[in-house]
Amino acid sequence: MKKYTYTLKAVFLSILLGMTSTSQADSSLTVRHLVNEQNIVSLNVTAKFLILPVQDDAPESKVCIVKDNEQRGTLMNVRLARERVDSYVPFILSDYKGQQISVDIQGLPADAVCWKELKLADSFDMSNKETFRPVYHHTPAYGWMNDPNGMFYKDGVYHLFFQYNPYGSVWGNMHWGHSTSSDLIHWNFEGVSIVPDAWGAIFSGSCVVDHNNTAGFGKDAVIAFYTSAKSTPWGDVQSESMAYSLDNGKTFVKYAGNPIITSLEKDFRDPKVFWYAPGKHWVMILAVGQHMELYSSVNLKDWKKESEFGKMQGAHGGVWECPDLIELPVEGSRERKWVLICNINPGGPFGGSAAQYFVGSFDGKTFVNESPVQTKWMDWGKDNYATVTWNNAPDGRCIALGWMSNWQYANNVPTRQYRSANTIARDLTLYKAGGEFYLKSTPSREMKQARGEKVSVPSFKVTDSYKIESLLKDNNGAYEIEMEIQVADASKISLNLQNEKGEQVSMYYDLLRKQFVMDRSKSGKVDFSNDFPAVTAAPVHAGKTLRLRLFVDRSSIEAFGEDGKFVMTNLVFPSSPYNQMSFGTEGSGYTVSSFNVYKLR
Ligand code: FRU
């Protein structure tokens, strides 16, 4: 039998309310436990937050606010702590300040530890509690994140929205979270900006800036398009909705005519909208099952289906998601080509989710893939998904951002306070090799501003092996390595990043197969998923000089070859930062002609 301490006030209230037991530690909350695991928490809102203790692997309870006998907002699924507390999330109460409300909590037994830890508070501790949290990559302060959404640039600010669960560190309750940055490196968390409603959760989508007030919400209104994803007892339903913001994305008003596009298809989602200047109209590309659909509109509210793309094209190992369609310059020429980005899950080259792309032409209505035989991948690691680009990026740039995880294990990676980061920002262009067009993903130039202390190693030759014993003096796990290698006649060039515990990421160039390979099977913590220990390989288009940039940030490595002709993104969870690099060879050796390490801030 559990013993609970009662405050006098709680006992008095419990008698008043006819309760049989109270178990909470916070005396300003009155908890009544009912039959069938239903619970009612009554309170006078004297603080900003109700702090909810959560346990990642607990079953979901349902939580909502009730005021004047009416449910306010939608029910949230929260994995409230039963046996232990993994982290805390705040339920924001500021709209009810000074009012008497109830919180209806369904599906939680009366002996759950949650009841002892539930409390009102005016502040919520967002300070970092995670050793694996990256230093220079965007992460949510707390809670779960997946796809980047609605990225737009306006008045010198990059806006990033993201699939966000503010009530736990696993997927669920999709909202749009919001962060802003002026340099793509330092991000401010702006909180939640679009919340679920009667049409469902808020799945992925995009934002445009309506400079000419085509929708009538106001000049320069920011307009968001997202998928309303509704779960019903008869199955899931997806449709497209819109919302507008007159304060640069801080708050949104949902369009009264939502949803604006409906369908009989089950997987019908992730609208990317952009202005097609030659035709003076808007275009929306949508992922539908395993193909894309293209729509056009002049007022952003009424949409006409123009075409479909994708049957018999590219990889079809899973559902198509998060599309994008962009026009890019081809390096070294005046040519421009259209690129259709298509994220796919599962069916990626190394299992799980990945981003493929098609290069071709687009006339405002129809996209034509000009190299249908080859499947092209944006990134050759396991952890770059849902990649999409910024609308209105300055200087004609096309800047992409991915979610740095994989649906195979995203919910299980060893963090608790938050889950998932974005990749670093990458500028996209095209290059031509062997008659084919390929995407080049160059680390955005802002990354150089993050460089701090620099350590240079003088040129050295590797005929057998070579070791750099210490990359940085105080290595906090956040750094960039930039190197240039003169291949000579080597057939294999191996580069091992390791820590003093022997945890290592083995990388090598196989120059016979023209591949760059990364093996993270001994990289540190790998046992949280059988799909995590993996070897990934990228094609290398280079001559006798190799240029490699490695961005390491506590729990990730992004390798860029030839400034982005290949990119490989892989998560790693070492128990201490990798601070050594050892080199090996097969063949007659090679020279590392330049080797710089930069601390990144
Ligand atoms: C891709 C995705 C999208 C969907 C969102 C839901 O990762 O499955 O298709 O909109 O995540 O969170």
Side-chain angles (χ1 to χ4, degrees):
M1 177 73 179
K2 273 212 157 63
K3 277 208 179 123
Y4 299 122
T5 43
Y6 298 105
T7 63
L8 263 184
K9 189 174 153 207
V11 171
F12 180 65
L13 271 172
S14 72
I15 294 166
L16 254 185
L17 295 166
M19 291 171 57
T20 49
S21 74
T22 63
S23 47
Q24 81 286 358
D26 187 332
S27 61
S28 49
L29 305 173
T30 306
V31 180
R32 283 178 284 168
H33 303 297
L34 287 71
V35 71
N36 290 331
E37 302 196 346
Q38 205 221 331
N39 310 275
I40 302 173
V41 181
S42 306
L43 65 144
N44 181 13
V45 180
T46 51
K48 288 188 190 137
F49 307 115
L50 179 63
I51 307 293
L52 306 177
V54 298
Q55 176 184 331
D56 278 352
D57 58 2
E60 286 175 338
S61 306
K62 295 206 181 281
V63 183
C64 77
I65 289 179
V66 175
K67 168 100 181 48
D68 299 332
N69 303 309
E70 296 285 348
Q71 180 181 316
R72 301 295 166 98
T74 51
L75 281 168
M76 290 299 143
N77 298 314
V78 190
R79 294 174 191 275
L80 291 170
R82 291 178 180 227
E83 294 91 28
R84 53 157 215 281
V85 180
D86 288 336
S87 59
Y88 294 88
V89 294
F91 211 81
I92 298 169
L93 300 175
S94 24
D95 287 352
Y96 302 95
K97 198 159 182 254
Q99 301 175 33
Q100 187 67 37
I101 63 166
S102 299
V103 180
D104 181 13
I105 300 185
Q106 302 167 17
L108 190 68
D111 62 356
V113 297
C114 171
W115 302 116
K116 281 188 243 162
E117 301 276 338
L118 194 67
K119 56 177 178 285
L120 280 173
D122 268 323
S123 59
F124 173 65
D125 180 10
M126 291 201 272
S127 61
N128 182 40
K129 294 177 188 66
E130 299 282 344
T131 48
F132 290 126
R133 191 191 287 271
V135 172
Y136 58 88
H137 287 78
H138 173 257
T139 54
Y142 65 93
W144 160 273
M145 173 176 84
N146 55 295
D147 316 351
N149 294 152
M151 291 129 73
F152 72 93
Y153 176 83
K154 190 166 178 259
D155 305 335
V157 179
Y158 290 91
H159 292 261
L160 163 63
F161 298 85
F162 47 91
Q163 287 289 280
Y164 188 42
N165 181 4
Y167 301 117
S169 301
V170 292
W171 187 87
N173 308 311
M174 282 299 113
H175 291 57
W176 274 24
H178 184 203
S179 293
T180 53
S181 172
S182 57
D183 61 5
L184 296 166
I185 301 165
H186 299 89
W187 291 97
N188 294 319
F189 178 55
E190 307 282 354
V192 156
S193 60
I194 310 186
V195 303
D197 59 29
W199 303 122
I202 314 296
F203 274 17
S204 288
S206 55
C207 282
V208 297
V209 182
D210 190 10
H211 292 303
N212 299 323
N213 195 18
T214 60
F217 298 129
K219 187 175 152 28
D220 293 332
V222 173
I223 304 182
F225 297 85
Y226 56 88
T227 301
S228 291
K230 193 174 167 82
S231 289
T232 79
W234 301 275
D236 294 345
V237 182
Q238 302 186 345
S239 51
E240 312 323 316
S241 293
M242 71 195 283
Y244 65 92
S245 169
L246 303 177
D247 58 5
N248 285 346
K250 260 199 172 0
T251 57
F252 280 89
V253 179
K254 287 177 184 148
Y255 176 53
N258 282 342
I260 53 168
I261 309 180
T262 57
S263 168
L264 285 169
E265 297 280 349
K266 182 169 122 319
D267 293 302
F268 184 70
R269 57 178 179 268
D270 307 342
K272 169 75 190 217
V273 178
F274 62 94
W275 178 246
Y276 182 70
K280 296 195 176 57
H281 63 81
W282 298 98
V283 175
M284 179 190 288
I285 178 165
L286 268 181
V288 185
Q290 287 197 13
H291 70 272
M292 299 298 179
E293 292 187 355
L294 288 134
Y295 292 70
S296 72
S297 171
V298 289
N299 64 4
L300 291 169
K301 294 171 182 159
D302 305 304
W303 292 90
K304 176 173 171 241
K305 182 170 163 186
E306 298 285 2
S307 65
E308 292 189 357
F309 170 78
K311 296 208 171 103
M312 315 288 286
Q313 313 261 344
H316 283 273
V319 72
W320 286 18
E321 303 184 314
C322 301
D324 204 344
L325 187 54
I326 46 184
E327 195 187 17
L328 293 179
V330 181
E331 285 196 344
S333 82
R334 308 183 101 186
E335 213 175 349
R336 292 176 77 81
K337 290 263 158 210
W338 283 83
V339 175
L340 191 153
I341 298 175
C342 166
N343 291 278
I344 173 172
N345 176 49
F350 310 107
S353 38
Q356 63 176 327
Y357 66 95
F358 304 91
V359 184
S361 61
F362 177 60
D363 63 1
K365 294 182 174 178
T366 308
F367 174 81
V368 179
N369 175 17
E370 290 178 354
S371 59
V373 226
Q374 209 184 25
T375 299
K376 295 175 174 168
W377 299 103
M378 270 187 104
D379 188 298
W380 297 90
K382 281 197 70 141
D383 299 302
N384 173 69
Y385 193 57
T387 307
V388 283
T389 63
W390 255 276
N391 266 335
N392 293 21
D395 312 323
R397 293 169 69 184
C398 181
I399 309 172
L401 198 73
W403 169 48
M404 198 155 54
S405 199
N406 188 312
W407 278 119
Q408 284 182 328
Y409 43 72
N411 280 289
N412 309 104
V413 296
T415 61
R416 287 201 188 286
Q417 184 187 16
Y418 79 100
R419 266 202 190 87
S420 296
N422 290 106
T423 63
I424 58 167
R426 301 157 181 197
D427 276 51
L428 302 182
T429 50
L430 287 166
Y431 71 98
K432 213 169 175 177
E436 281 283 344
F437 295 98
Y438 297 99
L439 265 186
K440 184 169 175 189
S441 305
T442 306
S444 293
R445 58 178 183 240
E446 286 79 359
M447 290 314 301
K448 290 201 173 156
Q449 292 162 24
R451 287 177 173 178
E453 182 193 324
K454 173 181 177 182
V455 174
S456 294
V457 178
S459 163
F460 57 92
K461 194 162 183 225
V462 184
T463 43
D464 177 21
S465 63
Y466 189 91
K467 190 164 183 192
I468 298 173
E469 291 290 349
S470 166
L471 294 170
L472 289 166
K473 250 195 256 107
D474 311 301
N475 190 338
N476 70 348
Y479 55 90
E480 176 193 346
I481 299 176
E482 185 185 41
M483 64 179 112
E484 207 168 85
I485 301 171
Q486 310 303 330
V487 174
D489 293 318
S491 54
K492 186 171 177 185
I493 293 176
S494 40
L495 318 159
N496 272 5
L497 205 48
Q498 59 209 54
N499 62 18
E500 69 292 346
K501 301 195 173 104
E503 296 166 346
Q504 58 171 309
V505 181
S506 327
M507 290 169 273
Y508 61 89
Y509 281 95
D510 178 336
L511 297 157
L512 301 177
R513 289 202 176 87
K514 292 195 176 306
Q515 280 188 332
F516 174 84
V517 179
M518 194 186 290
D519 178 349
R520 67 173 174 194
S521 55
K522 298 190 181 72
S523 57
K525 196 157 181 48
V526 298
D527 59 359
F528 53 88
S529 159
N530 290 337
D531 293 312
F532 190 78
V535 181
T536 60
V540 174
H541 298 143
K544 284 287 180 190
T545 301
L546 301 173
R547 281 180 293 123
L548 182 66
R549 288 173 78 184
L550 298 171
F551 288 86
V552 181
D553 197 359
R554 296 238 164 116
S555 49
S556 62
I557 300 186
E558 289 157 281
F560 294 82
E562 312 320 311
D563 232 23
K565 283 191 174 170
F566 76 77
V567 47
M568 183 182 284
T569 305
N570 282 319
L571 294 177
V572 285
F573 297 96
S575 55
S576 66
Y578 307 119
N579 199 34
Q580 303 170 344
M581 192 158 216
S582 61
F583 299 79
T585 185
E586 274 170 25
S588 54
Y590 56 90
T591 301
V592 178
S593 48
S594 149
F595 190 96
N596 297 317
V597 189
Y598 300 91
K599 272 196 169 177
L600 294 190
R601 299 179 285 227

